[in-house]
Amino acid sequence: AFVESSSSNLRLDHLRECAQSLDAKARDLCRLRYEQDLKPAAIGERIGAGANTVSKALQRIREILRTCIERKSTLGGVV
């Protein structure tokens, strides 16, 4: 259990680092979606974009973060 917890904590650290490497617009979208728990339609209303555009942008951001975390995990010896 400790190894799993340690691995999870390391992945969270990687997530924080990767999120900081996002551009400001992407970080703002993440804040609106995950910190303020807004749906894509509500985010779109705030930023003047359609819900589909917001959803696609969030999908791209998640993929960027996933790739970054996996790269850091591999480099750090954690799978």
Side-chain angles (χ1 to χ4, degrees), residues 7-69:
S7 176
S8 295
N9 288 339
L10 189 56
R11 287 178 68 84
L12 282 174
D13 290 342
H14 292 331
L15 173 59
R16 286 184 198 97
E17 292 170 14
C18 292
Q20 287 303 313
S21 72
L22 294 172
D23 64 41
K25 184 177 176 182
R27 284 194 309 272
D28 288 343
L29 283 175
C30 287
R31 279 190 204 101
L32 291 170
R33 178 66 185 103
Y34 300 108
E35 290 179 14
Q36 296 185 23
D37 199 30
L38 296 177
K39 302 294 183 213
I43 295 170
E45 288 177 15
R46 285 192 177 195
I47 66 171
N52 288 338
T53 301
V54 172
S55 292
K56 193 65 175 172
L58 288 167
Q59 182 180 13
R60 284 191 210 100
I61 292 165
R62 285 191 298 271
E63 184 59 34
I64 290 167
L65 291 173
R66 183 179 304 111
T67 301
C68 179
I69 292 166

Side-chain angles (χ1 to χ4, degrees), residues 1-12 78-79:
F2 175 73
V3 173
E4 288 178 19
S5 177
S6 176
S7 176
S8 295
N9 288 339
L10 189 56
R11 287 178 68 84
L12 282 174
V78 176
V79 178

